[in-house]
Amino acid sequence: MAAGCCGVKKQKLSSSPPSGSGGGGGASSSSHCSGESQCRAGELGLGGAGTRLNGLGGLTGGGSGSGCTLSPPEGCGGGGGIALSPPPSCGVGTLLSTPAAAASSSPCSSSAAPSSSPGSRKMVVSAEMCCFCFDVLYCHLYGYQQPRTPRFTNEPYPLFVTWKIGRDKRLRGCIGTFSAMNLHSGLREYTLTSALKDSRFPPMTRDELPRLFCSVSLLTNFEDVCDYLDWEVGVHGIRIEFINEKGSKRTATYLPEVAKEQGWDHIQTIDSLLRKGGYKAPITNEFRKTIKLTRYRSEKMTLSYAEYLAHRQHHHFQNGIGHPLPPYNHYS
């Protein structure tokens, strides 16, 4: 399934429903994305499969919720009938787990024992993945043949592609999926989906390329937990499932960096997710205890357009790129 990711304005959180709002407005709503880099997926009903999430604020098909929301396939609003399937900048780090390992995690796991030992393996995400995303977008905007198959791994992962723009790195588009996709086809698809079909923004243009930043996030280590507080701010992304005041099942998610960037604690994050998921009634501690929570981690890589050009100048054609290098322009 697909999801989206984006930045939102700092929010004043409250357990009471916001006055005059029911989860946000359309794509033009100012609460969807300000300059903050925040990835989260919001409201959607559970049931079928194949959902797309627009990561940082809003449904891909229009609809409700600000911030990254889980959304139905394009053209749909926030209606029901969608199932969540729990299941790259030039650095090395740790591989937390593969989607296959995540699928085998047992319910109600404890935070005391991580499912993998950090530091044991290199990260899967890489600068080349961000370069590939830039290649795909550049070729599309200039009418070149799409780049050939890249050389990085084609293992399946849940993934997000996020675009930001300008010195203040304002969100420009973010959509991804919680269903594991082969990275070659998944990054190709969500590069264009996040750049051209995020309902909160107009499609990207050639003039914007020099000011863009591309982030690729690979989601790992999905674990169901019994306690809604059993996750760590700045380490885990969380996905919640709850029953709203109308009796409908809803789900919402924040990527790992969101709570830390917003300065939220556990309760503020949970309450914000509930609001983004469309819950309008007063939020009590008893209601929070009814939430089903899944925590996960991510590997994230970010590359600017200038870094992309520098990388390509050193590795032109190495990864199947078959178009002229784009002209370099400093953004103002």
Side-chain angles (χ1 to χ4, degrees):
M1 64 175 292
C5 84
C6 73
V8 298
K9 294 181 179 179
K10 294 277 185 177
Q11 300 178 13
K12 182 177 180 180
L13 300 177
S14 169
S15 61
S16 300
S19 60
S21 75
S28 62
S29 171
S30 61
S31 65
H32 278 336
C33 296
S34 66
E36 315 243 356
S37 66
Q38 171 178 345
C39 279
R40 44 193 179 135
E43 163 183 322
L44 84 101
L46 301 181
T51 329
R52 180 165 55 230
L53 305 144
N54 72 339
L56 295 171
L59 300 172
T60 48
S64 61
S66 61
C68 291
T69 64
L70 290 173
S71 66
E74 55 180 299
C76 300
I82 302 157
L84 287 173
S85 307
S89 46
C90 295
V92 294
T94 60
L95 172 62
L96 300 172
S97 78
T98 62
S104 63
S105 63
S106 59
C108 301
S109 57
S110 169
S111 59
S115 60
S116 64
S117 56
S120 60
R121 288 182 257 179
K122 289 183 179 180
M123 290 175 65
V124 173
V125 72
S126 69
E128 191 59 35
M129 295 181 184
C130 295
C131 285
F132 179 67
C133 293
F134 269 116
D135 286 343
V136 170
L137 180 59
Y138 181 88
C139 288
H140 176 85
L141 293 177
Y142 280 88
Y144 290 112
Q145 182 177 353
Q146 281 294 303
R148 295 184 287 275
T149 302
R151 294 184 177 182
F152 53 77
T153 180
N154 195 31
E155 293 181 2
Y157 280 88
L159 60 91
F160 278 80
V161 177
T162 303
W163 298 99
K164 294 183 180 179
I165 191 167
R167 295 185 184 277
D168 54 353
K169 298 183 179 181
R170 303 180 307 279
L171 185 73
R172 187 59 181 84
C174 181
I175 297 179
T177 177
F178 276 112
S179 297
M181 292 188 68
N182 291 332
L183 289 177
H184 295 174
S185 60
L187 290 177
R188 191 186 297 270
E189 175 181 343
Y190 283 100
T191 289
L192 296 180
T193 301
S194 59
L196 306 173
K197 298 182 180 180
D198 189 325
S199 62
R200 299 162 297 173
F201 307 100
M204 285 185 188
T205 64
R206 296 179 186 180
D207 293 341
E208 293 177 288
L209 272 171
R211 298 184 290 147
L212 290 176
F213 296 80
C214 178
S215 296
V216 172
S217 299
L218 307 183
L219 310 187
T220 66
N221 291 72
F222 288 81
E223 299 175 293
D224 292 327
V225 297
C226 294
D227 186 345
Y228 73 93
L229 297 176
D230 189 7
W231 56 279
E232 186 176 345
V233 172
V235 173
H236 295 108
I238 59 171
R239 184 178 61 196
I240 64 170
E241 182 181 304
F242 62 95
I243 305 298
N244 67 12
E245 60 275 22
K246 297 181 180 180
S248 300
K249 186 180 292 185
R250 296 291 180 182
T251 186
T253 187
Y254 281 147
L255 295 184
E257 60 267 29
V258 173
K260 184 176 181 179
E261 290 176 354
Q262 294 295 312
W264 293 338
D265 59 23
H266 290 73
I267 299 297
Q268 290 174 315
T269 305
I270 293 292
D271 288 359
S272 176
L273 264 183
L274 287 168
R275 294 300 181 213
K276 297 309 174 187
Y279 188 74
K280 301 174 184 178
I283 301 172
T284 65
N285 195 48
E286 289 305 311
F287 181 77
R288 296 187 189 103
K289 292 178 180 179
T290 67
I291 293 170
K292 178 182 177 181
L293 187 142
T294 301
R295 68 187 185 196
Y296 59 89
R297 302 194 184 197
S298 75
E299 300 179 7
K300 182 179 179 181
M301 187 63 68
T302 299
L303 216 63
S304 69
Y305 184 76
E307 290 168 325
Y308 158 66
L309 288 182
H311 192 276
R312 278 291 174 251
Q313 287 166 355
H314 288 295
H315 304 283
H316 194 40
F317 293 107
Q318 177 179 326
N319 194 39
I321 182 172
H323 59 77
L325 281 171
Y328 178 73
N329 292 303
H330 290 278
Y331 61 79
S332 57

